[in-house]
Amino acid sequence: MSSIPNTQNAATVISSCDAYSDLWPIFFHFFFKHWGKPSFPVYLITNHRHYKDPRVISIPVGEDKSWSDNLINALKSIPEENLFVWLDDFLVDRDIDSAAMTACIEQLDQVGGKYLAVDQFGDLGAPVENSWLRLIEGGNLRAGLNLSLWKKTFLNQVLEPACSIWAAESRLRKLNREGEAGLYYLKTETPKVVSYVEGVRGQFWKPQGVAYLREQGIKANLKRRPFPPQGNDFLSKFFRSCYKRRMKSQSGKEVRAALEGKGLEVLPLQGVS
């Protein structure tokens, strides 16, 4: 496991699966470019494959049953209690301040909290004096599964088998509406702890994701993960449906190869600064 000194009992967890392994080199390129020395261990949730970087601890959980099953199984191998949970298409676009990450943990501990939406800001909910935090109240639906800090025990409470990420988020928000204690987000005036471009939606590259990669001199593999029309008209929906079938077929081939011990290693980007 990691040799990083870990006084905060914390970790960074990248929620992913092998079907999104084409994003790993891109994600980690920006992650380590803007956070060269993470303060905590970095875990990547996979099914069978692994990412070849000594700074990343891949956790293969086997068959890709659901988003929640992958995370539930991976948490069994993660000893830390304070977990920054990221998604694999969050392309970091600004340097990360380790002290700010630590401050999030310390402030959440001070109020006895168990969840912090690290990328959500607002002026609703009771403010916590002398802190960055505001309480997420029942009618304020800022509790979500974007970039967030969790107590592992609470994350396990929210997760249920066979759930998509959207179903898990709905469960979190239901608990929020019912008055679940200990949920917080950040005051409007708080500096951004982490800044990122969300690159993918509905399996496909988003316009801002492709644009960001181009700005950074990186060419997205649009054959592996297309950038189809985004509209709701018949032709746009038809093309997206065709692309999804092709992507599903490709993922199936990769799974079969992985089960045979082939193509398990995913390499970092080469020749990109």
Side-chain angles (χ1 to χ4, degrees), residues 15-36:
S15 175
S16 189
C17 62
D18 286 6
Y20 285 77
S21 59
D22 60 299
L23 299 183
W24 301 347
I26 296 171
F27 172 87
F28 284 114
H29 167 74
F30 291 111
F31 182 88
F32 289 119
K33 177 180 179 179
H34 292 291
W35 201 14

Side-chain angles (χ1 to χ4, degrees), residues 33-59:
K33 177 180 179 179
H34 292 291
W35 201 14
K37 294 183 179 180
S39 305
F40 324 115
V42 178
Y43 297 103
L44 171 67
I45 301 175
T46 77
N47 299 112
H48 307 283
R49 309 185 78 184
H50 64 271
Y51 185 67
K52 190 178 180 182
D53 188 313
R55 298 168 293 184
V56 178
I57 304 166
S58 296
I59 303 179

Side-chain angles (χ1 to χ4, degrees), residues 185-234:
Y185 74 122
L186 298 173
K187 297 175 181 176
T188 302
E189 62 271 21
T190 304
K192 281 191 174 182
V193 178
V194 178
S195 176
Y196 61 85
V197 175
E198 188 173 357
V200 172
R201 179 180 181 183
Q203 302 181 37
F204 303 122
W205 282 109
K206 296 176 70 172
Q208 56 263 45
V210 173
Y212 181 56
L213 293 183
R214 286 174 178 165
E215 290 171 5
Q216 300 299 313
I218 297 174
K219 186 176 181 180
N221 183 349
L222 298 182
K223 183 176 180 180
R224 176 65 176 79
R225 186 170 303 279
F227 176 43
Q230 301 293 306
N232 289 320
D233 57 283
F234 172 78

Side-chain angles (χ1 to χ4, degrees), residues 243-259:
Y243 281 131
K244 284 183 178 179
R245 285 197 294 271
R246 192 186 77 186
M247 292 168 70
K248 184 176 181 180
S249 175
Q250 178 63 32
S251 292
K253 292 178 183 177
E254 292 174 355
V255 168
R256 290 190 291 274
L259 291 174

